Amino acid sequence: MNNTSKSQRTMDIVQGGLAKRYQKEKRFKLYGLSAIFFSLLCLSLLFISIFSNGYTAFQQTFIEMEIAIDPEFIDKGNFAGSDYQGIIKASLRKEFPDVTGRKAKKRLYHLVSSGASYQLQDFVRDNFDKIGQTIRLWVPADDDVDMFIKGHIGRKGPEEDRRLKDDQISWIDSLVEQGRIKKKFNTTFFTAGDSREPELAGIWGAATGSFFTLLVTLALSFPIGVAAAVYLEEFAPTNRWTDLIEVNINNLAAVPSIVFGLLGLAVFLNFAGLPRSAPLVGGFVLTLMTLPTIIIASRASLKSVPPSIREAALGVGASKTQMVTHHVLPLAMPGMLTGTIIGMAQALGETAPLLMIGMVAFIVDIPGGFTDPSTVLPVQIYLWADSPERAFLERTSAAIMVLLVFLISMNAVAVILRKKFERRW
Amino acid sequence: MTPSYLLIILLLISTVAYYLGKKRAFAVVKHQGGPKVLHSRPGYYGMLTALWCGVPAVLIYSIWLVFEPTFISDMILSNLPADIKALPDDRLTLVMNDIKNLVNGNILSGEISPVIRSASEHYKHLQFISHACLTVIVLILSIAGLLVVWKIIKPELRARNHVEQLLKLVLIACSTIAIFTTIGIVMSVLYEAIRFFKVIPITEFLFGLEWSPQMAIRSDQVGSSGAFGAIPVFMGTMLISAIAMSVAVPVGLMSAIYLSEYANKKFRAVAKPLLEILAGIPTVVYGFFAALVVAPAIRNTGASFGLDVSSESALAAGLVMGVMIIPFVSSLSDDVINAVPQSLRDGAYGLGSTKSETIKQVIFPAALPGIVGGVLLAVSRAIGETMIVVMAAGLSANLTLNPLKTVTTVTVQIVTLLVGDQEFDSPKTLAAFALGLMLFVTTLILNIIALVVVRKYREQYE
Amino acid sequence: MKKALLTVLALVFVMTTGNLWADSSRDYISIVGSSTVYPFATVVAEKFGKSTQYKTPKIESTGSGGGHKLFGAGVGVQHPDITNSSRRIKKSEFEKASQNGIEIVEVKIGYDGIVVANSKKGAALKLTRKDLYLALAAQVPNPDGSETLVANPYKTWKDVNASLPNTKIEVLGPPPTSGTRDAFVELAMEGGAKKFGFIKAMKKADKKKYKSVCHTVREDGAYIEAGENDNLIVQKLEANSKALGIFGFSFLDQNTDKIQGSFIDGVQPTFDAIADGSYPVSRPLFFYVKKAHVDKIPGMKGFLKEFTSEKAWGDEGYLTDKGLIPMPAAERKEFQAAVANLKPMTASDF
């Protein structure tokens, strides 16, 4: 009798508190779910803001101009140095003949990009026979006109606060009516190097620089990293020294990247005298940075190969080296590859150490080799983010989109490889 | 022939040597009982031949090419007319640059004087001779190596052991590179930092409260007072890291718990890669996002509440840094939580606890050392983060705990002090190295603590 | 398949390392220096690179002071060829460079005003140079009237001058490596300090103390050093309508839709006011060339010619479009001749 009443009391107590506990359970689960949604929200906010700022950069406004190639402007002895800007200016004046006054004329000339003269120069170089004739050419518009057509700059507000004045807007309107202003796909963005004019700026120079730098990094860090991991994991005797080395390498992986930049500055530039801003030096610095990542990932994958495989190899008479190279290494290779790909992806996105070694200059030419001065894509983004022109804002976002596409695809390849070759021992 | 082609030829010769050696091994034992009489597998004899053919040749090749430019330049210099030789050293480098430009086929400036032209012709001639000699020597070496080893191939030759020794040497060399990197970092940063501490006493650096390093750079200029007290800078780093961790730890931990305990396989398969994308975004993008979107948003919200928010508040930088660190905390905690054996969970369920109670009272304490280690690693990541703070945080060293004000961090100061400046004498530049040393030491200590905590308190589950 | 992959990898490795031994020589112009002159130099460099077969010069923005330090370190391939400067080279810098064996050719490229600007969201301020000195100096005359100096006690603009608004003094300006800073302290702050008789008298009595009184900027947070990047200052002003920024007129000119310049001594900073000298805070812009490098680095002669051509720095040139205020025609001719003859500077020029 007594027992049942006691146990009933316990059951009552338990039952009484059950609802509360279930509530707590629900809340806890909710916290977890909301944490994940918060992270995903931030991620999507990031992507949406960058995408919305950047997708307009893939189109560039062009103006169709009627250009009379006046032979007086062409210096027969020096085609490259002739006054093509003068030809463009004359054509603009002919288009809008009632524009007078120095300031108004300047605003007229500003409708068209300064790159138009280079385009004309190339055209004349390829078509000598057209000198003296009138041609129609689609030339890039100035970045203010580009922003206006894309809707980033408005026509409202007091005139002195606006980038485009009333007369410029009226000219643009008349050109739009004639169908001579069009937005076309912005190939310049993908083929040109850096420039002061946003409508002429592109990421090709930075992309080539990134390519060379990553090539040097991959060529150096993968063999050295794998070899070091194999030695440390398989051959090195276990004593205090190797313990120290393990601690060291783990630390290197956590050292801020800027300290590697300092190292690169002190050793490669000052001591060894290598050229500044070269992909070679950038590659060396990034190798030192990715080496710990690759070593740690390789060691983890070597460790994951079960001892039974090793002992089976030794049992049939293989030497230690044969066991490692024939049996362990191929099985551990997928893990090493994924570690390398992740390390390369990290190196591609690095900016801080490269700032220290001088890759932060204005470099227009596309680099042709490993010792030509160049910049890399993240540094280019950093430089453009500081520019005042409105048009650079959308180009920075577009460059970020390109970089993100590369990185996400690299990470995706690593994940797919990992899934494909993952073996459950 | 150009060096790169020579290298390819060497590679080809080595491959041929491999096949020759292997064939020889087979041939030698043909009448002695077949390949099973050989000490090692036939491939190793081939490999030994190839290695002795290729490795010395490549070594000589590298050393030769490293020193060739210096030798040739010296010879050209000694042959220049006396008036040019009398120029000071730095002018000579300009003359040499001219000559090299001509040799490389780059465009030259202005008129090419006959002296320069003849010097560059001479240079090209010398280069040709040098490359020819190199080719001959390297080819002789490789063929000699091939022949010597070919001759000594016998069944008793322990080819495999030799090859393995060589391989081990290569592996050791590669490991030492990794070790030398650590030593190199410590040495270079330490060396410059010691030079800094000779000028500015270490107590002033560690305990001073004023940071204005932009000293005068000329003797007749009046600059800042040159105070190098680093406490405001450290405080700035601490403040922003604290904000970042207060965002990252709860969110990361809860995400990890949900993903490992509550989520079904499909959800996990989708959510985990998405979270890892957060980790893969370059920090310059985060910095851009922080400077462009987050900081103005915080400023406007603060203004609507009547608060005085700086346009580069520590809050903006800290929030974005926290979002960046979430995947670190999340994936590290995930691994640790998964490592807790199922038996502990089953025991708790068996006693009637709900899932959240199990997590809070059983799993979390069991996984705590690993989580703490992970959090410490995330803290060291936050401390060392550069690009987000360069773009979103400020440059003035304020000694404040108010997240709405602007502060500067150690990494921002390193970048500001060093970008573009190369003079390694002024305290200003050396201060950057001292800061770098502090950063390195701090992250080292954090990592060691993490390692010790994990090792000491980790429960060994079979 | 594996062997093929290995051989391909080996080939790639070889090709990349094979090229590393190439004996490289510098065939592009290396330019450092002022962030104010940077926008102009980059435009000329780009035009030069696109219209000739020479490589485009590489330009770094290090600040005038930083640029002179790098430039003056010596002659040779590893040192820059040209340095941009938003103020004249100082005697100490010239002497250091001469000690290192450098012959310098000075080229003035035009004029630039220094503006104290704020966001258009606020009202434009009417300041005098005296106000600027009192607001920004580390040491100011004692407000009680005795002719002594005290640490700067003023917190708001109203404290400095009752006609100014009651907002906190928050000014974003360049660090000591910047030529803009040097020019600002000399023209604006010294110009304001001189209005106090006893400070002016100090000039003859103790020149060093005079300089430190006029040129030292306060470090208690009212003046915030915002780095070499003038564009960043413009962005920060947009975000913070109560702050003021100090930078060159060209940046104001390029951003008239976002920021406005304050009146200084009653004159608004406009193109014409600076050109005719009525705006008191204007200074010339220069670049300095190493004579020894001109014949040796490919393209230098052509670059100098492009920079000093009428279509670049003339009244209708493309540099004026970027906000440069051109020199009078006679001065332009003088410097064109200096570049053509490569006349080096001497100690008597100071």
Side-chain angles (χ1 to χ4, degrees):
Chain A
M1 263 292 143
N2 259 350
N3 270 345
T4 31
S5 60
K6 230 192 181 160
S7 55
Q8 279 222 327
R9 269 218 320 255
T10 324
M11 272 312 290
D12 283 335
I13 295 174
V14 172
Q15 291 282 47
L18 213 53
K20 234 186 178 174
R21 286 166 65 197
Y22 283 156
Q23 283 254 9
K24 268 197 191 161
E25 164 77 17
K26 271 213 186 92
R27 270 208 310 263
F28 194 75
K29 198 171 170 182
L30 201 66
Y31 290 153
L33 200 58
S34 50
I36 295 189
F37 277 131
F38 174 72
S39 327
L40 293 181
L41 185 72
C42 291
L43 186 66
S44 45
L45 207 70
L46 185 79
F47 277 5
I48 289 176
S49 67
I50 290 184
F51 186 73
S52 62
N53 273 330
Y55 76 95
T56 46
F58 292 112
Q59 285 194 319
Q60 168 68 33
T61 312
F62 284 85
I63 300 182
E64 190 186 29
M65 279 192 61
E66 214 174 271
I67 306 178
I69 308 184
D70 193 343
E72 285 201 6
F73 283 101
I74 312 273
D75 178 3
K76 289 268 179 339
N78 178 15
F79 273 111
S82 305
D83 189 11
Y84 295 101
Q85 189 68 2
I87 299 180
I88 305 255
K89 285 185 182 171
S91 309
L92 278 169
R93 284 199 298 271
K94 206 170 109 193
E95 186 69 37
F96 294 101
D98 48 344
V99 175
T100 50
R102 195 195 77 173
K103 284 211 171 131
K105 278 197 198 155
K106 245 177 127 169
R107 287 200 290 271
L108 179 64
Y109 301 148
H110 267 183
L111 285 181
V112 161
S113 161
S114 51
S117 56
Y118 302 128
Q119 201 177 335
L120 186 60
Q121 179 182 325
D122 289 339
F123 180 84
V124 167
R125 191 190 54 210
D126 297 333
N127 300 287
F128 282 142
D129 49 332
K130 291 277 189 348
I131 298 180
Q133 297 177 14
T134 306
I135 53 154
R136 298 195 93 113
L137 202 61
W138 283 94
V139 294
D142 187 60
D143 57 306
D144 286 331
V145 176
D146 191 31
M147 291 290 103
F148 180 77
I149 298 285
K150 287 179 183 166
H152 295 305
I153 301 183
R155 53 174 79 214
K156 301 192 188 60
E159 195 178 5
E160 71 259 8
D161 282 353
R162 274 186 276 124
R163 294 286 297 170
L164 286 179
K165 313 291 179 221
D166 290 331
D167 46 8
Q168 284 173 312
I169 294 183
S170 67
W171 298 325
I172 295 174
D173 286 338
S174 77
L175 282 172
V176 169
E177 270 169 43
Q178 297 174 41
R180 286 163 65 181
I181 292 191
K182 274 215 177 89
K183 280 195 285 193
K184 297 193 182 174
F185 184 69
N186 192 355
T187 46
T188 323
F189 185 72
F190 293 105
T191 53
D194 195 8
S195 166
R196 290 285 303 155
E197 304 291 334
E199 65 272 9
L200 301 175
I203 54 169
W204 185 239
T208 327
S210 271
F211 174 71
F212 282 136
T213 313
L214 272 188
L215 204 62
V216 175
T217 313
L218 183 66
L220 286 177
S221 60
F222 182 66
I224 298 180
V226 166
V230 165
Y231 179 74
L232 289 172
E233 188 62 29
E234 305 287 337
F235 294 103
T238 38
N239 51 25
R240 283 197 60 194
W241 285 117
T242 42
D243 238 7
L244 194 68
I245 293 173
E246 175 171 352
V247 170
N248 260 334
I249 293 185
N250 284 337
N251 279 331
L252 271 184
V255 165
S257 53
I258 196 163
V259 178
F260 286 101
L262 287 177
L263 175 69
L265 184 64
V267 172
F268 295 129
L269 287 186
N270 282 339
F271 183 68
L274 292 171
R276 247 172 106 82
S277 319
L280 192 63
V281 185
F284 284 159
V285 175
L286 289 179
T287 304
L288 294 180
M289 245 184 59
T290 12
L291 217 49
T293 316
I294 296 184
I295 293 180
I296 293 177
S298 307
R299 282 190 77 166
S301 60
L302 281 170
K303 266 200 245 252
S304 73
V305 176
S308 46
I309 304 263
R310 297 164 206 264
E311 300 191 355
L314 290 174
V316 292
S319 74
K320 190 151 189 213
T321 318
Q322 282 172 325
M323 178 256 290
V324 170
T325 46
H326 287 211
H327 288 80
V328 177
L329 207 54
L331 290 176
M333 195 47 81
M336 293 180 174
L337 274 179
T338 41
T340 313
I341 295 179
I342 293 182
M344 287 299 117
Q346 274 179 357
L348 178 59
E350 271 303 327
T351 326
L354 300 176
L355 288 184
M356 304 269 102
I357 56 165
M359 281 180 135
V360 69
F362 176 72
I363 298 170
V364 172
D365 297 323
I366 315 285
F370 294 100
T371 46
D372 283 341
S374 79
T375 182
V376 292
L377 208 46
V379 173
Q380 184 73 284
I381 293 174
Y382 172 67
L383 287 175
W384 280 357
D386 281 339
S387 299
E389 284 98 344
R390 208 52 167 293
F392 268 128
L393 174 63
E394 62 167 21
R395 279 172 172 76
T396 317
S397 305
I400 291 179
M401 282 161 67
V402 171
L403 185 61
L404 282 178
V405 160
F406 271 122
L407 285 174
I408 293 181
S409 45
M410 278 171 90
N411 276 325
V413 166
V415 167
I416 293 176
L417 273 182
R418 195 196 311 171
K419 265 200 144 50
K420 190 163 168 215
F421 291 111
E422 206 173 29
R423 292 169 85 136
R424 285 246 160 261
W425 301 107
Chain B
M1 68 172 74
T2 45
S4 25
Y5 284 129
L6 187 56
L7 207 55
I8 296 184
I9 304 257
L10 273 182
L11 220 69
L12 283 173
I13 295 184
S14 305
T15 328
V16 167
Y18 175 83
Y19 283 113
L20 281 179
K22 198 167 171 187
K23 251 179 67 177
R24 174 75 176 157
F26 275 116
V28 162
V29 288
K30 207 161 168 188
H31 303 289
Q32 297 184 25
K36 64 178 188 288
V37 181
L38 288 171
H39 171 269
S40 330
R41 287 173 60 205
Y44 281 101
Y45 293 95
M47 194 53 126
L48 191 66
T49 328
L51 282 175
W52 275 106
C53 171
V55 169
V58 169
L59 274 175
I60 300 285
Y61 169 88
S62 318
I63 299 178
W64 185 287
L65 279 184
V66 164
F67 288 109
E68 181 201 65
T70 338
F71 268 129
I72 297 188
S73 306
D74 283 343
M75 286 176 70
I76 297 284
L77 277 178
S78 62
N79 277 340
L80 285 175
D83 54 338
I84 299 189
K85 265 204 279 192
L87 285 174
D89 271 337
D90 37 21
R91 308 275 164 145
L92 278 177
T93 65
L94 284 177
V95 176
M96 278 313 300
N97 192 47
D98 237 2
I99 299 176
K100 282 192 209 165
N101 267 333
L102 195 52
V103 167
N104 284 339
N106 295 330
I107 304 171
L108 227 52
S109 61
E111 281 290 306
I112 307 170
S113 80
V115 172
I116 302 281
R117 190 179 284 281
S118 71
S120 76
E121 293 294 318
H122 195 201
Y123 193 100
K124 274 196 247 189
H125 187 66
L126 282 178
Q127 219 178 26
F128 178 73
I129 294 181
S130 156
H131 286 167
C133 285
L134 178 66
T135 317
V136 165
I137 291 182
V138 154
L139 282 178
I140 289 182
L141 254 182
S142 58
I143 301 211
L146 166 63
L147 284 176
V148 163
V149 176
W150 200 79
K151 274 249 171 310
I152 66 170
I153 287 183
K154 276 196 276 280
E156 299 86 39
L157 181 65
R158 295 165 157 255
R160 179 173 56 80
N161 297 38
H162 291 303
V163 172
E164 289 182 356
Q165 267 299 71
L166 234 89
L167 190 64
K168 212 164 167 186
L169 272 172
V170 168
L171 293 181
I172 293 179
C174 291
S175 327
T176 40
I177 291 182
I179 300 167
F180 277 168
T181 314
T182 326
I183 299 181
I185 290 182
V186 175
M187 282 293 109
S188 64
V189 175
L190 199 63
Y191 179 66
E192 305 289 352
I194 288 180
R195 282 172 72 192
F196 174 74
F197 288 131
K198 283 203 185 117
V199 182
I200 309 276
I202 192 169
T203 45
E204 186 193 324
F205 181 72
L206 285 179
F207 300 115
L209 291 175
E210 281 273 320
W211 176 263
S212 56
Q214 298 284 6
M215 289 166 49
I217 52 179
R218 297 186 307 276
S219 53
D220 59 348
Q221 188 192 32
V222 177
S224 298
S225 50
F228 287 100
I231 288 207
V233 189
F234 291 149
M235 281 302 319
T237 307
M238 287 299 128
L239 181 64
I240 293 187
S241 306
I243 298 175
M245 294 318 289
S246 64
V247 167
V249 172
V251 175
L253 207 51
M254 289 310 297
S255 315
I257 289 177
Y258 188 88
L259 278 178
S260 56
E261 297 292 323
Y262 288 103
N264 55 18
K265 258 189 131 176
K266 263 202 300 192
F267 188 85
R268 227 184 114 91
V270 168
K272 206 156 194 283
L274 281 179
L275 276 183
E276 280 179 14
I277 291 182
L278 269 180
I281 297 180
T283 51
V284 67
V285 176
Y286 277 117
F288 183 67
F289 181 62
L292 212 67
V293 176
V294 178
I298 292 183
R299 205 186 138 71
N300 291 336
T301 330
S304 65
F305 280 126
L307 296 166
D308 177 29
V309 182
S310 154
S311 60
E312 304 170 309
S313 49
L315 193 60
L319 278 180
V320 175
M321 204 194 283
V323 170
M324 184 194 78
I325 298 182
I326 289 176
F328 280 100
V329 179
S330 166
S331 64
L332 285 168
S333 314
D334 197 38
D335 291 339
V336 179
I337 291 176
N338 274 337
V340 174
Q342 192 59 23
S343 51
L344 284 176
R345 292 192 185 85
D346 292 339
Y349 294 147
L351 287 174
S353 56
T354 60
K355 228 172 183 174
S356 60
E357 284 160 4
T358 321
I359 296 173
K360 279 190 272 193
Q361 292 168 17
V362 177
I363 297 182
F364 189 68
L368 194 60
I371 293 179
V372 165
V375 166
L376 284 177
L377 282 176
V379 169
S380 73
R381 182 95 173 80
I383 291 181
E385 178 46 48
T386 318
M387 289 321 290
I388 298 182
V389 276
V390 162
M391 295 172 93
L395 287 165
S396 60
N398 272 336
L399 189 58
T400 172
L401 283 175
N402 182 353
L404 300 175
K405 296 246 171 289
T406 173
V407 292
T408 192
T409 67
V410 175
T411 43
V412 170
Q413 286 303 308
I414 295 180
V415 171
T416 333
L417 289 175
L418 275 185
V419 171
D421 206 329
Q422 287 281 291
E423 190 188 84
F424 279 74
D425 284 349
S426 71
K428 192 175 95 156
T429 337
L430 296 177
F433 281 96
L435 285 175
L437 186 68
M438 286 295 119
L439 208 61
F440 183 71
V441 166
T442 320
T443 46
L444 190 72
I445 293 178
L446 278 175
N447 284 344
I448 292 183
I449 294 180
L451 203 66
V452 163
V453 159
V454 168
R455 269 204 195 151
K456 189 163 169 208
Y457 294 104
R458 184 178 54 189
E459 307 279 348
Q460 274 294 39
Y461 299 111
E462 62 240 291
Chain C
M1 165 61 189
K2 248 194 242 175
K3 280 226 169 87
L5 203 67
L6 271 170
T7 33
V8 166
L9 275 172
L11 266 164
V12 166
F13 189 68
V14 162
M15 290 315 289
T16 50
T17 43
N19 273 327
L20 295 182
W21 308 125
D23 197 10
S24 60
S25 49
R26 178 151 74 85
D27 59 345
Y28 55 89
I29 305 173
S30 161
I31 307 180
V32 294
S34 162
S35 61
T36 312
V37 183
Y38 178 84
F40 307 127
T42 45
V43 170
V44 177
E46 205 179 329
K47 276 220 191 304
F48 173 69
K50 285 208 168 104
S51 53
T52 64
Q53 74 272 44
Y54 293 107
K55 288 238 176 100
T56 315
K58 178 180 90 134
I59 309 184
E60 278 181 76
S61 169
T62 61
S64 310
H68 279 294
K69 228 169 32 156
L70 290 168
F71 181 77
V75 171
V77 187
Q78 68 275 36
H79 296 118
D81 309 315
I82 300 179
T83 181
N84 299 321
S85 181
S86 57
R87 53 155 175 85
R88 196 145 190 257
I89 187 173
K90 298 274 185 230
K91 190 157 184 209
S92 54
E93 289 165 342
F94 172 77
E95 277 165 4
K96 186 151 168 279
S98 307
Q99 270 171 6
N100 288 331
I102 305 175
E103 281 187 301
I104 309 177
V105 177
E106 179 184 64
V107 183
K108 192 197 287 192
I109 58 173
Y111 292 94
D112 187 36
I114 301 182
V115 301
V116 181
N118 63 343
S119 161
K120 273 207 150 135
K121 295 187 197 142
L125 294 177
K126 290 190 166 49
L127 303 168
T128 64
R129 280 182 286 174
K130 190 165 151 205
D131 295 334
L132 285 171
Y133 168 70
L134 289 175
L136 294 177
Q139 285 187 311
V140 291
N142 200 326
D144 64 9
S146 64
E147 298 190 336
T148 50
L149 295 166
V150 294
N152 196 328
Y154 304 119
K155 294 273 179 277
T156 67
W157 287 103
K158 206 176 170 110
D159 294 339
V160 168
N161 185 336
S163 61
L164 293 173
N166 190 2
T167 48
K168 203 172 75 152
I169 300 178
E170 196 181 347
V171 176
L172 300 157
T177 41
S178 167
T180 310
R181 159 110 166 215
D182 290 328
F184 179 76
V185 299
E186 271 182 29
L187 295 165
M189 283 176 55
E190 191 176 330
K194 275 201 279 210
K195 297 269 162 59
F196 292 95
F198 73 99
I199 300 184
K200 191 165 174 192
M202 238 189 266
K203 189 169 180 186
K204 293 209 181 67
D206 185 350
K207 191 147 191 204
K208 217 168 169 195
K209 182 153 183 236
Y210 171 74
K211 274 213 164 133
S212 95
V213 168
C214 297
H215 295 178
T216 318
V217 174
R218 64 196 298 186
E219 288 171 28
D220 57 356
Y223 180 88
I224 304 164
E225 276 174 14
E228 264 322 317
N229 197 333
D230 296 338
N231 292 327
L232 211 59
I233 302 183
V234 171
Q235 281 175 0
K236 288 181 195 194
L237 289 182
E238 257 192 292
N240 183 354
S241 57
K242 301 240 172 43
L244 293 171
I246 300 176
F247 41 77
F249 171 74
S250 53
F251 287 89
L252 177 66
D253 193 48
Q254 300 294 306
N255 292 292
T256 46
D257 54 334
K258 299 181 211 147
I259 48 178
Q260 60 196 349
S262 312
F263 288 71
I264 307 237
D265 287 345
V267 184
Q268 201 186 15
T270 61
F271 190 94
D272 300 314
I274 301 174
D276 64 29
S278 51
Y279 184 75
V281 196
S282 75
R283 40 55 191 280
L285 300 176
F286 299 88
F287 67 83
Y288 295 92
V289 186
K290 273 184 194 157
K291 185 166 175 187
H293 284 208
V294 174
D295 280 325
K296 299 291 174 214
I297 306 289
M300 273 191 77
K301 281 220 177 88
F303 178 74
L304 293 174
K305 194 149 164 250
E306 175 72 32
F307 213 138
T308 55
S309 62
E310 277 300 305
K311 70 175 191 237
W313 70 2
D315 290 321
E316 298 289 321
Y318 54 77
L319 288 180
T320 46
D321 290 343
K322 291 280 174 193
L324 179 71
I325 298 170
M327 303 182 279
E331 260 193 292
R332 295 205 294 268
K333 274 213 172 52
E334 182 194 326
F335 281 107
Q336 269 168 352
V339 160
N341 302 330
L342 291 176
K343 189 171 80 102
M345 291 179 82
T346 56
S348 59
D349 286 328
F350 291 97

